Amino acid sequence: MLLAAYVGYLGLGAAVLQALERPAEVQAAQHLLREHWELLTNHTCLQGLALQRLIEGIIQAYKSGITLQGNTTSLGRWDYSGSFFFSISAITTIGYGNLSPSTVVGRIFCIVFALFGIPLNLVLLNEIGQLMLLGVQHCAHRLEEVFHWQNKASFLMKTCALVTGLLLFLLLPPLLFSDKEGWSYEEGFYYSFITLSTIGFGDYVIGMNPDRTYPSWYKNVISLWILFGMAWLALVIKFCINILE
């Protein structure tokens, strides 16, 4: 029954996503093909194969963190701050997919780094989660002593912890992303949940817009937000697991 519910849930998600996203995919493909043929028609000096190779080269360069800016290229994804953020995304298993090692040595190091980093990250997240849980329990115990509440104190503190976590990790960060990245609030909220849940699609990643200047503290603060936000969301997910079980 559990397996049937699991497969059914996946089937329902697939059907809804197909209904919502398939028309947009078809429309985008038609638009791209139309733009391609209009470019070749208006610029007869261009050859189809040469244009295709250029497009593939631009896509490959973008995956490596290089973008065209006029007659120059922009670098910076593999500077120290970018590399540090990549390390965070690797050991937290977020894995945005917008950036990955391109050298053989880099890939081998990434495997070894993640092999030891993922357990270290899980241990740290577990400790942070336990500290958060102990803090909530301590506050609930104090309320019971002061106001002589029984179940009310525990429920009140859990509610406060949930609301505080929602504000700090899901509701307020999109305002920062709107200011620094130029995203809408909905896009920032979507990025926040996709990141903290370690889904990490990679369609939205902070600090990757070559047209924007980011402060030096930005990625460091986001790294801390990811660390504590994942610990908080793990507690929420654990609570949901207990309800389902």
Side-chain angles (χ1 to χ4, degrees):
M1 289 178 62
L2 181 60
L3 179 61
Y6 181 81
V7 175
Y9 190 76
L10 290 176
L12 175 63
V16 172
L17 287 171
Q18 181 183 19
L20 294 175
E21 298 296 330
R22 182 65 176 177
E25 180 189 33
V26 173
Q27 184 179 2
Q30 292 174 347
H31 176 74
L32 178 62
L33 190 60
R34 186 166 55 249
E35 291 286 328
H36 178 264
W37 284 113
E38 286 180 0
L39 181 63
L40 291 177
T41 302
N42 296 329
H43 300 82
T44 55
C45 59
L46 291 175
Q47 296 182 358
L49 291 176
L51 179 61
Q52 185 65 28
R53 285 196 298 269
L54 176 62
I55 293 173
E56 291 174 355
I58 292 174
I59 294 174
Q60 187 61 40
Y62 182 78
K63 289 180 178 179
S64 301
I66 303 171
T67 56
L68 287 173
Q69 289 182 320
N71 294 324
T72 62
T73 56
S74 67
L75 301 172
R77 291 194 179 185
W78 284 114
D79 57 10
Y80 187 79
S81 62
S83 301
F84 185 85
F85 192 72
F86 172 79
S87 300
I88 286 282
S89 68
I91 67 172
T92 56
T93 69
I94 295 173
Y96 289 114
N98 68 311
L99 190 63
S100 59
S102 59
T103 64
V104 175
V105 178
R107 290 169 180 168
I108 294 174
F109 173 77
C110 188
I111 293 172
V112 177
F113 181 74
L115 184 63
F116 293 96
I118 291 173
L120 177 63
N121 176 72
L122 291 175
V123 170
L124 179 60
L125 288 182
N126 183 61
E127 290 297 320
I128 293 175
Q130 291 299 321
L131 287 175
M132 290 180 175
L133 193 59
L134 286 175
V136 171
Q137 293 174 347
H138 177 72
C139 292
H141 183 67
R142 293 292 298 171
L143 286 177
E144 289 179 1
E145 290 181 347
V146 174
F147 298 101
H148 303 290
W149 293 341
Q150 295 298 324
N151 295 328
K152 289 183 179 179
S154 178
F155 176 77
L156 179 62
M157 288 311 305
K158 288 180 179 178
T159 304
C160 290
L162 178 62
V163 173
T164 302
L166 282 173
L167 287 172
L168 289 178
F169 302 120
L170 289 178
L171 298 179
L172 293 180
L175 299 177
L176 177 63
F177 300 141
S178 297
D179 178 57
K180 301 301 180 184
E181 304 290 343
W183 299 340
S184 65
Y185 185 86
E186 177 271 328
E187 290 171 328
F189 183 83
Y190 167 79
Y191 166 79
S192 299
F193 181 81
I194 293 300
T195 295
L196 297 184
S197 60
T198 72
I199 296 173
F201 289 125
D203 48 352
Y204 290 91
V205 185
I206 61 102
M208 295 298 174
N209 191 340
D211 298 325
R212 288 182 173 267
T213 302
Y214 300 99
S216 57
W217 52 265
Y218 184 51
K219 286 187 177 181
N220 296 329
V221 170
I222 297 303
S223 297
L224 289 175
W225 166 75
I226 290 175
L227 189 62
F228 286 92
M230 284 180 60
W232 171 80
L233 191 60
L235 291 177
V236 175
I237 292 175
K238 184 177 180 181
F239 177 72
C240 295
I241 290 174
N242 292 334
I243 293 177
L244 287 175
E245 288 181 340

